[in-house]
């Protein structure tokens, strides 16, 4: 597993790949310049020593976080080369969602759903086998908490995407369900994590792998027999963007369903403004009340 250097496929890391690389390079350059200019403290501590030490600790923490980001980007670049080679060499065959649906319904081919539970519980393909390759990270150590905060700040609040970690039991779970010579169709929501799963399965000895290009999100309603409370296209959305109806999937649905669908989310937006206004007025009233108490 370590030799594969499987990257953490969180949404904000993928979408901000080039931006984070540029930011990381600049910050690490500043850290190097700062560290090279630091002089060893004298035995007699100056009044500003505590502030210098605190600043140095903060910069070291930032550098550690940026080192993690750079490692993730290097791992992602290396993984992409492997994945391209898998497809180019024919070790993984490409299927469109429609072709995958035909193979499942007409030839009874198994579908391996590798999405995390947050997506699976919204919608799934009937009779598919669910074994997530990544799952929500429930740890609360310092490093994990820092990554969760970074994920939230970098867009998790908007997209609803949580911090995910690799399930170390993934391969063993797949091997319990499917023999190595099985024709295995692998799918996720957008097609990236399923390609990572194909990489692992190929290295584990699976030779008849089929990858659903674009993932379940690219499927039309007639491509699969789906189950669950939402359409397959909506399983990967969340956060504030979903609540306001500002995702591409919801906009496409609004264009088909007309004004009734749009009014629902317009009402939600108006409601947010009304609540924010009420909170602001309430805060002002509380402030005036406190001032009156102090004046008396």
């Amino acid at each position: 597993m370590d030799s594969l250097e499987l990257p953490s496929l969180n949404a904000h890391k993928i979408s901000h790949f080039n931006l984070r690389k540029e930011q990381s390079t600049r910050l690490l350059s500043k850290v190097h310049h700062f560290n090279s200019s630091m002089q060893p403290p004298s035995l007699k501590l100056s009044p500003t020593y505590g502030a210098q030490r605190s600043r140095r600790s903060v910069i070291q923490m930032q550098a550690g976080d940026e080192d993690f980001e750079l490692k993730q980007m290097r791992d992602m670049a290396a993984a992409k080369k492997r994945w391209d080679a898998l497809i180019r060499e024919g070790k993984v065959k490409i299927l469109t969602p429609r072709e995958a649906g035909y193979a499942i319904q007409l030839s009874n081919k198994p579908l391996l759903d590798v999405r995390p539970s947050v997506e699976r519980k919204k919608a799934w393909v009937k009779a598919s086998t669910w074994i997530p390759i990544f799952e929500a990270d429930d740890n609360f150590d310092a490093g994990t908490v820092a990554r969760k905060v970074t994920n939230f700040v970098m867009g998790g609040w908007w997209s609803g995407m949580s911090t995910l970690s690799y399930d170390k039991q993934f391969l063993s779970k797949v091997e319990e369900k499917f023999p190595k010579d099985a024709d295995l169709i692998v799918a996720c929501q957008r097609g990236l994590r399923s390609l990572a799963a194909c990489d692992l399965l190929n290295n584990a000895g699976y030779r008849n792998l089929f990858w659903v290009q674009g993932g379940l999100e690219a499927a039309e309603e007639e491509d699969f027999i789906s189950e669950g409370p939402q359409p397959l296209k909506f399983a990967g959305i969340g956060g504030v963007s979903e609540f306001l109806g500002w995702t591409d999937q919801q906009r496409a649905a609004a264009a088909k369903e007309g004004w009734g669908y749009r009014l629902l989310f317009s009402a939600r937006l108006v409601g947010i403004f009304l609540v924010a206004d009420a909170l602001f007025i309430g805060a002002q009233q509380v402030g005036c009340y406190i001032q009156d108490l102090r004046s008396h």
Side-chain angles (χ1 to χ4, degrees):
M1 181 62 212
D2 294 337
S3 62
L4 292 177
E5 295 183 347
L6 189 69
S8 176
L9 302 180
N10 291 323
H12 80 276
K13 286 186 174 64
I14 298 168
S15 61
H16 293 82
F17 185 92
N18 293 328
L19 175 62
R20 295 294 294 162
K21 182 177 181 180
E22 181 181 350
Q23 292 173 337
S24 300
T25 303
R26 288 201 304 266
L27 180 56
L28 288 177
S29 176
K30 293 178 182 178
V31 172
H32 175 74
H33 174 74
F34 175 81
N35 288 337
S36 63
S37 63
M38 287 291 293
Q39 298 296 327
S42 60
L43 293 177
K44 183 178 180 180
L45 299 182
S46 66
T48 60
Y49 174 72
Q52 291 176 343
R53 183 176 181 181
S54 176
R55 181 173 59 169
R56 186 163 62 248
S57 299
V58 169
I59 292 179
Q60 287 173 347
M61 290 175 63
Q62 290 175 331
D65 183 60
E66 296 300 325
D67 284 340
F68 174 79
E69 296 290 339
L70 288 174
K71 182 181 183 301
Q72 291 299 311
M73 289 186 287
R74 287 194 297 268
D75 290 348
M76 177 63 72
K80 187 178 183 302
K81 290 181 180 179
R82 293 198 310 272
W83 301 341
D84 290 343
L86 285 175
I87 295 174
R88 185 173 60 253
E89 296 169 6
K91 296 179 180 179
V92 175
K93 287 81 173 177
I94 297 177
L95 294 178
T96 65
R98 179 160 297 182
E99 291 170 340
Y102 286 151
I104 294 168
Q105 297 172 37
L106 302 179
S107 302
N108 201 29
K109 300 295 184 184
L111 175 66
L112 175 61
D113 185 347
V114 300
R115 297 176 300 162
S117 58
V118 67
E119 296 174 355
R120 169 77 181 191
K121 67 184 180 182
K122 295 180 181 179
W124 60 90
V125 176
K126 185 178 180 180
S128 60
T129 300
W130 177 52
I131 304 177
I133 183 174
F134 293 95
E135 193 52 281
D137 198 332
D138 296 328
N139 294 323
F140 287 94
D141 56 89
T144 302
V145 170
R147 287 193 290 274
K148 287 183 177 181
V149 171
T150 301
N151 177 74
F152 182 81
V153 172
M154 292 297 296
W157 64 275
W158 177 255
S159 66
M161 295 297 177
S162 58
T163 303
L164 304 176
S165 60
Y166 172 70
D167 183 359
K168 296 180 180 179
Q169 303 300 317
F170 171 73
L171 282 176
S172 61
K173 292 177 182 178
V174 174
E175 289 171 348
E176 289 177 3
K177 294 285 186 179
F178 302 103
K180 297 290 179 67
D181 60 351
D183 291 335
L184 195 55
I185 301 174
V186 187
C188 64
Q189 189 63 26
R190 297 183 178 89
L192 189 61
R193 297 181 187 121
S194 55
L195 196 50
C198 287
D199 186 15
L200 293 175
L201 293 170
N202 176 74
N203 281 280
Y206 285 86
R207 293 295 177 261
N208 301 310
L209 297 171
F210 298 86
W211 170 58
V212 180
Q213 188 176 32
L216 300 179
E217 192 169 289
E220 300 299 332
E221 292 184 10
E222 64 271 14
D223 291 343
F224 296 104
I225 300 176
S226 63
E227 299 177 325
Q230 297 187 22
L232 285 171
K233 284 182 176 291
F234 286 13
I237 63 177
V240 176
S241 61
E242 179 186 19
F243 180 79
L244 295 177
W246 285 354
T247 64
D248 292 338
Q249 298 88 331
Q250 290 168 306
R251 289 173 180 171
K256 293 180 180 179
E257 299 185 23
W259 283 103
Y261 192 88
R262 299 175 186 177
L263 286 174
L264 170 64
F265 295 102
S266 297
R268 290 184 179 181
L269 181 60
V270 172
I272 289 178
F273 281 116
L274 291 176
V275 170
D277 185 61
L279 291 174
F280 178 73
I281 294 175
Q284 284 184 323
Q285 291 176 345
V286 170
C288 292
Y289 178 73
I290 293 176
Q291 287 182 347
D292 290 342
L293 290 178
R294 288 178 178 177
S295 63
H296 290 84

